[in-house]
Amino acid sequence: MNSNRKCYAVKNKNENIRAESRSGRVFTAISDWVLDNGGVVYGCVMSDAYTAEHIRAVTKIDRNRMRGSKYIPSHINNCYSLCAEDLSTGRQVLFSGTPCQIDALKNFLSVKKVDTTNLLTMDLICHSVASPKLWRKYVDHLSQGKRIDCVDFRDKKNFGWVAHKETIVVEGVEISSNGFSDIYYSDLAYPLHCFKCYYKNCNRVSDITIGDYWGIDKLDPEFFDNKGISLVMLNSEKGEDAFSACSKELEIREHYLIDSLQPPLVHNYVIPKNRTRFYKSLNRDNFDILLKKFIKRPELIYTKIISIALKIVKR
Ligand SMILES: Cc1cc2nc3c(=O)[nH]c(=O)nc-3n(C[C@H](O)[C@H](O)[C@H](O)COP(=O)(O)OP(=O)(O)OC[C@H]3O[C@@H](n4cnc5c(N)ncnc54)[C@H](O)[C@@H]3O)c2cc1C
Ligand code: SF4
């Protein structure tokens, strides 16, 4: 890698707005610019059935549903075809997703011979996606058949940006735990292709790459605030132009990429030895049993956090 390659630490100047996004709200800033210019935005939302789905948005209300990371695979639905239609009519399009989704989109548009002049792509630094079955078991386990009001895969508002805890609101009661994230980071629940990912490196497929700026607390302690800092890589002239067009509302610090690397920018993860056993258990056991079998001392972390949340709500 070119050791002079730059990247950017970015946060939105408005802290209240930043709270709604996973990291520094770069996606919102760039998608605002596209929507304000009459463009279209594609991205991932959580459906009413708690699956991750890609949708097309022409309003900020729909776009806002794309905010926040959903750590499961997103169904692309008919978004590639819709995107081709939008581009064919001359509309500006921002398409956001995992690197493999962006690469697939570009292949699709190339086969269909679509003019991509007005296409801006944004990919995520991608750790991997977890089994949707695991997510379903987790949600069912916490809700116990009751109504779910909302889901936050990574609750930044209550626990800060660095922590990784989910919060699910079940009939008005906030239940927070790190049950799902503990399994996510154990690497047990990823599909096999995520261990052979072509995109875990610095050769990016999109115009702009965004992620969490891990390590910024040490690299630039003054800038760090545990409210969400994005790492931004600008990979093309189009990406640079879009970023500079919406930079007024952002606080930006320039760094060397070589000082800002994290594992998904460098290498694939190793398949855990007990992954096959985990998947057998996933087909058979409920979430509690999975957690007890595969994560060290899960009950302590898990029940304590739930009981604290319940106590707060009762008060
Ligand atoms: C599965 C997954 C793994 C990730 N792994 C890492 C990592 O290892 N290191 C790192 O630094 N950052 C990772 N990220 C990215 C990071 O969590 C933030 O999504 C990113 O920094 C954007 O922050 P934001 O505040 O600008 O965007 P937000 O306003 O939070 O917007 C979220 C953006 O992510 C997209 N998105 C959300 N979920 C999905 C999904 N399931 N599939 C496709 N697109 C989705 C939305 O379309 C939107 O563009 C990951 C994200 C996901 C979804
Ligand atoms: S890890 Fe790679 S293959 Fe898996 S979802 Fe992310 S980009 Fe796609």
Side-chain angles (χ1 to χ4, degrees), residues 98-101 124 126-129 191 193-200 268:
T98 57
C100 54
Q101 287 172 335
L124 309 163
C126 185
H127 190 102
S128 290
V129 285
H193 62 259
C194 285
F195 293 98
K196 292 181 182 167
C197 174
Y198 294 115
Y199 312 96
K200 287 207 169 76
N268 271 301

Side-chain angles (χ1 to χ4, degrees), residues 18 20-28 42-45 52 54 66-74 96-98 101 122 124-130 154 156 184-185 210-214 229-231 262 264 269:
R18 203 156 30 114
E20 292 151 17
S21 286
R22 165 57 209 138
S23 45
R25 200 182 172 266
V26 175
F27 165 69
T28 304
Y42 289 86
C44 167
V45 303
H54 256 65
M66 297 171 185
R67 289 174 176 161
S69 297
K70 298 97 191 166
Y71 294 102
I72 50 174
S74 175
S96 71
T98 57
Q101 287 172 335
M122 177 183 276
L124 309 163
I125 299 175
C126 185
H127 190 102
S128 290
V129 285
R154 202 156 172 168
K156 193 168 87 166
Y184 180 83
Y185 285 113
I210 54 172
D212 292 296
Y213 210 128
W214 300 130
I229 315 271
S230 293
L231 184 151
Q262 51 167 297
Y269 295 95

